[in-house]
Amino acid sequence: MATEFTRRQALLQLLGLSAAAGCLSLPSLAKGLDLAEELSQANSALLIGCAKQAGKHYVAAMNMQGELRYQIALPARGHHVALANANKGVAACVARRPGQYIVLFAAETGQIIQQLSPPKNMHFYGHAAFSEDASLLYVTAGISATSEGMVLVYRKLEAQWQLSEQWPLGGLGPHQLLVLPQQRLAIAVGGIHTQGREKRNLETMQPALLYLDSRNGNLLQRRELSNPQLSIRHLSYSEVSDTLWLACQGQNPEQEITSLIYSHKGNEQCQALELDADYWPLFNQYIGSVVSSNGKLIASSPRGAKLAVWSEKTRELEQLMQIDDVCGLAADQHSWFASTGQGQLIQAANQLLRKQTQWQWDNHLSVLPL
């Protein structure tokens, strides 16, 4: 429609003229952007993420007031902190790919419980997820020589966690995974064979979205995108609509990307979000994190310095912000939060609440309600 084209063109022009603008929103939809009840709720959640300070790597836990609850020294760079249900109190920090450790700790206090290592000749891919009762920990992993993907299942036996099962995925380079209702496990398979950090098969890569039975690893469903050079990396689940959101990263800089986010539901095929929208080039072919929160879908692009908000119902862009090095995203029942490699913690409210910290926050963020 002509009105939609004009609105988006104006937005692109504004972004092109002012890269330093802190927040560029669509005026007609501004009322829909207040995702928190009160700014005072910023102090009622603990934000937990991997971070760097003075050249060393940590897990850091802080509230939006900038008060540090604890820090945990890590043996190498971390990637994602998985949290169990709040009443279970356990968390798992997974090393960045090709990772060689998982640190299990108490989410509220930071007390270390145990450190895990991958099986010989394997590595972790940076993400994990707890079962609903927190008795199992599912971890994406791969055979180091081939990048053949696996889900490793660690089981809590008395006070210790032990490797219980290994489930082959039939794909290369799995990344994020989520535990879903109805005994489902969703896995984003990136499709890329890597040696260390070097990508080796971009011409033949085969990304996919997989659903496994979380009880036994049986394949329930496999979905692929029409573009095989669009690596599926991150996931977020909307329980209200039973919709899974897929965040992707383009692997061919010469290719025009028509969308970087897709949705999947039931037995349908994956559906592109705002196919061929003219703002996608602003993301520089890269979505770093995605989260569903109170009817909104939020995605970050550190390479494009963009933070975007869509309506899940209308699937239309509502807000596009210019924020340097923004990547980490998390959400609780009240609000969503973001973090940047420049040290900012951000909360959605009537106006974005920003707190400058001394930490260089890494790719992902988790939130623990207090």
Side-chain angles (χ1 to χ4, degrees), residues 102-351:
I102 295 173
V103 175
L104 293 157
F105 62 96
E108 284 198 30
T109 66
Q111 181 178 358
I112 294 177
I113 299 171
Q114 188 178 348
Q115 183 168 320
L116 305 173
S117 299
K120 186 178 179 180
N121 299 322
M122 296 182 67
H123 63 265
F124 299 129
Y125 275 98
H127 284 270
F130 286 95
S131 62
E132 188 68 22
D133 64 358
S135 66
L136 301 174
L137 180 67
Y138 303 97
V139 185
T140 48
I143 298 173
S144 298
T146 63
S147 300
E148 179 184 346
M150 310 280 288
V151 170
L152 303 183
V153 185
Y154 290 86
R155 185 180 299 273
K156 186 179 181 182
L157 299 173
E158 297 181 354
Q160 292 291 305
W161 293 78
Q162 296 181 13
L163 180 61
S164 173
E165 297 180 68
Q166 301 182 35
W167 297 339
L169 291 175
L172 306 183
H175 201 63
Q176 189 169 14
L177 75 172
L178 294 180
V179 173
L180 305 183
Q182 301 171 340
Q183 288 80 48
R184 294 174 296 166
L185 189 66
I187 303 105
V189 175
I192 303 175
H193 170 41
T194 55
Q195 289 291 297
R197 301 287 299 176
E198 182 184 354
K199 301 171 183 177
R200 306 294 294 271
N201 70 325
L202 298 185
E203 298 298 324
T204 59
M205 55 183 285
Q206 293 182 301
L209 170 67
L210 304 182
Y211 292 89
L212 304 186
D213 188 319
S214 61
R215 297 166 295 185
N216 51 34
N218 291 342
L219 179 65
L220 301 176
Q221 194 173 167
R222 178 187 177 99
R223 289 290 180 266
E224 298 180 359
L225 306 181
S226 59
N227 180 357
Q229 288 188 299
L230 204 55
S231 181
I232 305 172
R233 307 289 286 173
H234 295 107
L235 305 171
S236 184
Y237 177 67
S238 176
E239 190 169 1
V240 174
S241 60
D242 190 32
T243 299
L244 189 67
W245 293 96
L246 292 61
C248 303
Q249 297 171 7
Q251 302 300 317
N252 183 351
E254 305 300 320
Q255 190 178 71
E256 183 177 350
I257 298 298
T258 57
S259 181
L260 285 167
I261 297 179
Y262 289 74
S263 63
H264 183 258
K265 182 176 181 177
N267 292 316
E268 301 172 359
Q269 297 299 316
C270 296
Q271 303 295 320
L273 179 68
E274 296 243 87
L275 187 67
D276 293 321
D278 44 16
Y279 54 74
W280 287 119
L282 299 173
F283 294 85
N284 199 14
Q285 298 208 12
Y286 192 98
I287 299 295
S289 297
V290 64
V291 68
S292 172
S293 173
N294 297 309
K296 308 295 180 183
L297 184 72
I298 304 96
S300 63
S301 175
R303 294 185 183 177
K306 298 294 181 292
L307 185 62
V309 182
W310 289 264
S311 164
E312 290 194 62
K313 183 176 181 180
T314 67
R315 300 173 70 92
E316 292 185 349
L317 181 69
E318 292 190 347
Q319 191 177 23
L320 187 59
M321 292 161 272
Q322 178 87 8
I323 302 176
D324 288 342
D325 206 10
V326 63
C327 195
L329 292 173
D332 62 14
Q333 61 179 335
H334 302 295
S335 182
W336 56 263
F337 305 86
S339 60
T340 80
Q342 305 298 320
Q344 284 194 335
L345 291 176
I346 300 167
Q347 185 197 22
N350 292 319
Q351 295 181 346

Side-chain angles (χ1 to χ4, degrees), residues 77-110:
R77 184 176 173 181
H79 189 70
H80 173 239
V81 175
L83 302 180
N85 288 338
N87 61 337
K88 303 299 181 182
V90 64
C93 173
V94 189
R96 181 186 191 230
R97 171 184 65 85
Q100 294 297 316
Y101 73 82
I102 295 173
V103 175
L104 293 157
F105 62 96
E108 284 198 30
T109 66

